[in-house]
Amino acid sequence: MRFVKAFLRFWYDFIIGDDWKIAASVVAVLAVGAGLVLAGLGGSPLFAPLLAVGLAAAFTAALAIDVRRHPKG
């Protein structure tokens, strides 16, 4: 049982890390992307670049929230 706990703790720290907002935003964007693929809209040549832009925007938004919350100086 201790191995299972350590294994799960490793993956939690690896995926969530220090900021749960980044992990949640990435999961949300990937879920929207999966929904679009299931709806048949994933065949477009612009799908992958738009998904990449969505991931970058989600990461930037989560980072901006943290920077605004903890101002420098």
Side-chain angles (χ1 to χ4, degrees):
M1 191 64 181
R2 207 166 62 184
F3 172 76
V4 173
K5 276 184 166 179
F7 181 77
L8 293 175
R9 185 174 294 138
F10 165 78
W11 281 106
Y12 177 84
D13 285 341
F14 182 73
I15 294 171
I16 304 298
D18 291 334
D19 193 2
W20 64 269
K21 291 180 292 303
I22 293 173
S25 62
V26 167
V27 168
V29 171
L30 291 177
V32 168
L36 291 173
V37 167
L38 290 174
L41 302 172
S44 169
L46 292 177
F47 181 72
L50 287 176
L51 192 63
V53 168
L55 288 170
F59 176 78
T60 303
L63 190 62
I65 290 169
D66 282 344
V67 169
R68 197 174 325 146
R69 217 179 268 168
H70 304 291
K72 189 173 151 183

